[in-house]
Amino acid sequence: MAAVQRSNYLPYLQQLLDTQGDTEGVAIESVCGICQENKLDISKSAREFTSSIEPPEEHLQLHRNFVDYLKHDIERTVVLACGHVFGDRCIRGLLAQGSDLVCPSCGFRMAYQGCGHAIAPALIQVEGNNPIRDTFPLTIPEGARDPQNCMECRWRHIRSHIRYALADECISCRQRTLAHVPLDAAGHRAHRDQHMSIGLRQSLDDILALVWPEFVTRETNSSLSKASAESERHQIHVSLLNAMVRSEMEDTIWYRTKAGRSTHLTKEQLRRHTRGMASIEQTLLGWLMDSTREQRRMW
């Protein structure tokens, strides 16, 4: 007979999540720590029930699952960044109150330390006894990295870096011009290209980190190959993004390249530069938002 582990702390439970189909293994039995009544669907007895539910038509899937769960006092399991698991319905009830979500078990405030915006709980997708440990992000006690800011605030930070890298002139060259320090044309162009290349590449790396965060998992067999594939895809997309931005810059961006002169860009050149910058930002932001819709939630 299987031993029973009762806990709502994921670091104690996570290695057991994929073994609930093993009759000799350790069985998880967990109830929601908020209502103290509803059984979480990561529990062995609940997963045995959910795996026996006859699959309905696809368009009725969510409604049917909700009704079956409600009828048997089962809740889908969500995990907070602090590692505690609760019932989805009970957590949504707390969120509906409008205040910041605080973990009922440990008091952890579900907000990013940098910007203060809310951290969304992560749903643990349970499908019968199928492996699930790689379907939701690591919690902080398991070694997850705290990004400090939400995705929107990180995008604003990245956008400011892009604007700095693609400015019509770099700050150091502008300061030299204002100080009437002669600039060598070849040196100026080389410095400008290096400034733009390094700054742009870093910004694109940051964007990819938002779209595909580093795949840190609980070291299951499937996760190792997935982490390798994610890393390769990351490098490919950074290169594609870099080529796309460079191509658009050639058509729409004007730079001050005549070193040592006091002449300024014409109004038309400035307008084209502004339009080009806006076009690049919108392209990157659109690509970012389209891609993140396909990704799992992250802390």
Side-chain angles (χ1 to χ4, degrees):
M1 183 177 179
V4 177
Q5 170 72 266
R6 291 182 172 85
S7 174
N8 79 323
Y9 191 48
L10 187 66
Y12 293 163
L13 302 175
Q14 58 93 4
Q15 292 187 359
L16 308 175
L17 289 176
D18 292 345
T19 62
Q20 297 308 286
D22 182 2
T23 56
E24 300 300 323
V26 177
I28 298 174
E29 293 298 335
S30 187
V31 298
C32 175
I34 298 174
C35 65
Q36 300 293 334
E37 295 179 356
N38 296 335
K39 184 176 295 184
L40 302 183
D41 64 357
I42 61 170
S43 301
K44 181 177 178 61
S45 57
R47 293 181 71 175
E48 290 176 345
F49 165 74
T50 58
S51 63
S52 66
I53 298 178
E54 188 175 319
E57 296 293 332
E58 184 175 352
H59 67 285
L60 297 175
Q61 181 75 47
L62 292 178
H63 176 70
R64 171 69 179 275
N65 284 352
F66 176 78
V67 172
D68 286 330
Y69 272 41
L70 195 64
K71 181 169 63 176
H72 292 86
D73 295 322
I74 299 174
E75 288 196 56
R76 296 190 302 173
T77 307
V78 294
V79 57
L80 306 189
C82 57
H84 290 101
V85 294
F86 299 96
D88 178 53
R89 294 199 301 272
C90 290
I91 285 293
R92 282 189 281 116
L94 293 180
L95 291 172
Q97 297 176 9
S99 57
D100 291 340
L101 177 61
V102 175
C103 176
S105 291
C106 68
F108 177 84
R109 180 171 172 262
M110 287 285 287
Y112 293 98
Q113 294 183 14
C115 64
H117 292 141
I119 302 175
L123 177 67
I124 301 179
Q125 297 282 2
V126 173
E127 297 181 3
N129 288 315
N130 294 332
I132 62 175
R133 284 205 290 159
D134 287 335
T135 63
F136 56 96
L138 289 175
T139 61
I140 292 175
E142 296 174 284
R145 297 177 181 176
D146 184 359
Q148 295 295 311
N149 296 289
C150 68
M151 179 176 289
E152 182 178 352
C153 291
R154 278 181 281 168
W155 163 250
R156 290 176 182 173
H157 180 71
I158 292 170
R159 185 175 61 181
S160 68
H161 279 240
I162 292 176
R163 289 179 175 179
Y164 175 71
L166 301 182
D168 60 304
E169 65 175 358
C170 53
I171 292 179
S172 62
C173 290
R174 182 181 303 171
Q175 290 173 340
R176 289 171 66 91
T177 299
L178 293 175
H180 303 290
V181 177
L183 295 175
D184 173 68
H188 171 78
R189 182 183 290 275
H191 170 249
R192 183 69 188 92
D193 288 344
Q194 182 185 39
H195 169 79
M196 185 176 65
S197 297
I198 295 176
L200 180 60
R201 183 77 182 195
Q202 181 61 54
S203 296
L204 297 180
D205 278 335
D206 290 342
I207 289 175
L208 260 295
L210 284 184
V211 178
W212 287 300
E214 183 180 356
F215 193 75
V216 182
T217 71
R218 296 168 179 85
E219 298 183 356
T220 63
N221 291 333
S222 62
S223 70
L224 298 178
S225 59
K226 183 174 181 180
S228 177
E230 290 284 314
S231 177
E232 182 177 351
R233 182 166 64 164
H234 179 279
Q235 295 302 320
I236 292 174
H237 277 82
V238 167
S239 298
L240 290 175
L241 274 178
N242 188 66
M244 176 194 73
V245 173
R246 287 305 188 98
S247 175
E248 188 153 352
M249 284 165 49
E250 291 177 0
D251 294 335
T252 62
I253 304 297
W254 287 65
Y255 295 97
R256 182 180 292 117
T257 58
K258 295 182 179 181
R261 294 192 178 184
S262 59
T263 56
H264 296 278
L265 296 175
T266 66
K267 291 182 179 180
E268 176 58 25
Q269 289 173 334
L270 287 172
R271 280 195 292 268
R272 292 189 65 178
H273 175 77
T274 301
R275 288 198 300 267
M277 284 289 298
S279 176
I280 289 176
E281 287 183 14
Q282 288 302 314
T283 299
L284 292 176
L285 181 58
W287 184 86
L288 170 64
M289 299 310 295
D290 289 342
S291 299
T292 50
R293 292 192 186 100
E294 302 175 2
Q295 306 304 312
R296 66 186 186 280
R297 286 181 179 178
M298 58 184 176
W299 303 127

